[in-house]
Amino acid sequence: MTIQPLSERTAGSKTLDWRRIFPVFMIVSTYAAGTAAVLPVLPFHIREMGGSPLVLGVVIAAEAVGQFASAPLLGQLSDRFGRRRILLLCQVVAAASLLLLALAPNVVVILIARAMFGLTAGNIAVTGAYVADHTDTASRRQAMGILMGGAGVGGIIGAGLSGLLSETSLTAPVLAAFALVLLAALITVLRLEDGRPLELTHERETSEKTSFGAILSSPAIRILVLVMLCHFFAYGTYMSQMPVFLGDTFIWNGHAFTARELSYLIMADGGINLFAQLFLLGWLSRYLSELNLILLIFAMIVTGFVTAGIATTIPLLLLAVFCISTGDALAKPTYMAALSNRVPGARQGIVLGAAQSMVALADITAPVLGGFILGFALYGVWIGVAVVMALIGMVIAAARLSG
């Protein structure tokens, strides 16, 4: 049996309005810059404090636990009280967590800080719901791509700052991230429209179930979430331990792989994300169905994982980064648009939040498993797990999703 998307909504559909999309693009860009500024230094910060690859995996998983706990609630609250208020709440908590991370004296405090930051990850669902509020199904994938392209812009800026500031200290990029998140909050206050609470709709929606079970009762949502779980488990297994793998095995111009070199790769990832989400996705959408696009995404990340496992030169490593980054960049807006097009407008926040929360299950388990495997230096097994999970997702998509 295949799963068909809901038909496009009729009268009253919204077209792509840049006046409303651009502020949220800027918010996502600034917030992503703050996130990207931390990522290159976090593994080395933990290692300096005596943490192992498994400890790194646990810290990353703690962030995913926070996301799992908060995303459905934040999505539902944004449906009820408006997008801007919930985004602002996320940004305040994120800023507090980054300040705590900068001042952390040990790994335990780092763990708490990253778990707090994970609680704010529901802002992804909230911004996605904001975009869905202001687009119709025909333009939604493009709009989601623009939104995710904002993350690519932020990734370039944040990783560049991290590369520069990490020469000063490992905490300097964290303080820069703190300032960037505060800037995102300022843009939210000054530029983002405050979505009106769903007063009339809410009375109808409160009579419906909003649990995980109710959301997963839809076959369309269930299959999509399963495909997403496979994708993000594979990607999380690879990405969470990639700095450890390269630090142990790769030599860059005679030097060990460090936070500075990692920041360059994250900058490249951000550039690829920007190109894929702002330009490539729109072009591919003209020629590929939703199913074929998802199959292409899986094919690209599998190719990237295998190439990363055998890379001994810069060109091969860059090819692996290109394949994985492009596949993941295409995946996020494609999955978000596919989910959004299958649910009523009044439930965008709760469904996107719940789906994000369930995908966080993969983000919880994948870094821990990857860290456990690399703790024994089983690099081939680590790559193999990522490849197998991606292939499973590819098979499920081919068998159960419609073209």
Side-chain angles (χ1 to χ4, degrees):
M1 184 181 77
T2 59
I3 306 302
Q4 298 284 351
L6 294 176
S7 60
E8 289 190 14
R9 296 176 179 90
T10 54
S13 292
K14 304 177 182 67
T15 57
L16 192 59
D17 185 348
W18 273 96
R19 291 174 303 172
R20 290 176 170 174
I21 299 301
F22 186 70
V24 78
F25 173 89
M26 291 299 298
I27 290 165
V28 170
S29 297
T30 310
Y31 193 90
T35 302
V38 173
L39 291 179
V41 298
L42 184 62
F44 302 96
H45 195 35
I46 291 172
R47 180 174 281 185
E48 269 196 357
M49 293 185 176
S52 66
L54 180 58
V55 171
L56 172 62
V58 171
V59 169
I60 295 173
E63 185 174 340
V65 169
Q67 176 180 333
F68 172 77
S70 68
L73 177 61
L74 292 173
Q76 188 173 14
L77 288 174
S78 77
D79 285 339
R80 182 172 182 182
F81 297 110
R83 314 302 184 197
R84 188 173 73 171
R85 297 175 187 177
I86 305 306
L87 272 178
L88 191 58
L89 173 65
C90 290
Q91 290 156 350
V92 169
V93 175
S97 73
L98 289 168
L99 189 58
L100 182 63
L101 178 62
L103 301 174
N106 53 53
V107 171
V108 174
V109 178
I110 291 177
L111 182 69
I112 294 170
R114 297 314 288 172
M116 284 178 61
F117 192 82
L119 291 173
T120 73
N123 74 82
I124 298 171
V126 176
T127 54
Y130 177 91
V131 167
D133 291 341
H134 297 96
T135 57
D136 60 15
T137 54
S139 61
R140 191 159 298 153
R141 191 187 298 171
Q142 179 191 6
M144 294 294 184
I146 292 169
L147 180 68
M148 293 296 102
V153 172
I156 296 171
I157 295 171
L161 278 174
S162 186
L164 292 173
L165 296 175
S166 62
E167 294 293 302
T168 303
S169 74
L170 291 178
T171 57
V174 181
L175 292 173
F178 170 74
L180 286 165
V181 170
L182 290 181
L183 178 58
L186 182 63
I187 297 171
T188 301
V189 171
L190 298 178
R191 300 295 300 169
L192 196 69
E193 292 183 6
D194 195 6
R196 184 170 56 88
L198 301 176
E199 298 157 349
L200 298 178
T201 307
H202 176 62
E203 292 182 5
R204 182 176 71 251
E205 296 295 330
T206 51
S207 63
E208 301 178 14
K209 295 180 180 179
T210 57
S211 65
F212 280 0
I215 291 165
L216 288 178
S217 65
S218 165
I221 302 299
R222 186 165 60 243
I223 297 303
L224 272 170
V225 169
L226 185 58
V227 170
M228 291 168 66
L229 281 169
C230 292
H231 174 99
F232 289 109
F233 187 92
Y235 181 77
T237 299
Y238 166 81
M239 199 65 189
S240 66
Q241 300 299 328
M242 181 264 289
V244 176
F245 171 68
L246 293 178
D248 289 347
T249 65
F250 202 85
I251 302 298
W252 188 307
N253 289 333
H255 300 285
F257 193 88
T258 66
R260 184 175 181 178
E261 286 72 38
L262 180 58
S263 71
Y264 294 152
L265 283 188
I266 292 178
M267 285 181 68
D269 175 76
I272 292 167
N273 271 260
L274 184 62
F275 169 75
Q277 292 166 342
L278 294 184
F279 304 105
L280 183 60
L281 180 61
W283 182 78
L284 289 174
S285 296
R286 284 185 250 161
Y287 301 101
L288 298 180
S289 66
E290 180 182 277
L291 172 60
N292 288 334
L293 185 54
I294 289 174
L295 295 179
L296 174 63
I297 287 165
F298 277 112
M300 292 198 72
I301 64 170
V302 167
T303 301
F305 293 155
V306 173
T307 305
I310 63 173
T312 56
T313 64
I314 295 297
L316 270 182
L317 180 61
L318 291 177
L319 176 62
V321 170
F322 174 80
C323 290
I324 296 168
S325 297
T326 302
D328 191 59
L330 295 173
K332 292 168 185 174
T334 298
Y335 294 144
M336 289 178 72
L339 283 169
S340 178
N341 288 341
R342 287 168 166 84
V343 299
R347 307 200 72 194
Q348 295 289 333
I350 177 60
V351 171
L352 291 177
Q356 181 187 347
S357 179
M358 284 178 277
V359 169
L361 289 173
D363 293 336
I364 294 168
T365 55
V368 176
L369 177 62
F372 177 78
I373 293 171
L374 284 196
F376 294 97
L378 299 173
Y379 305 118
V381 174
W382 169 66
I383 291 290
V385 169
V387 169
V388 168
M389 287 305 302
L391 290 175
I392 291 172
M394 194 175 187
V395 169
I396 293 171
R400 300 298 303 276
L401 292 176
S402 65

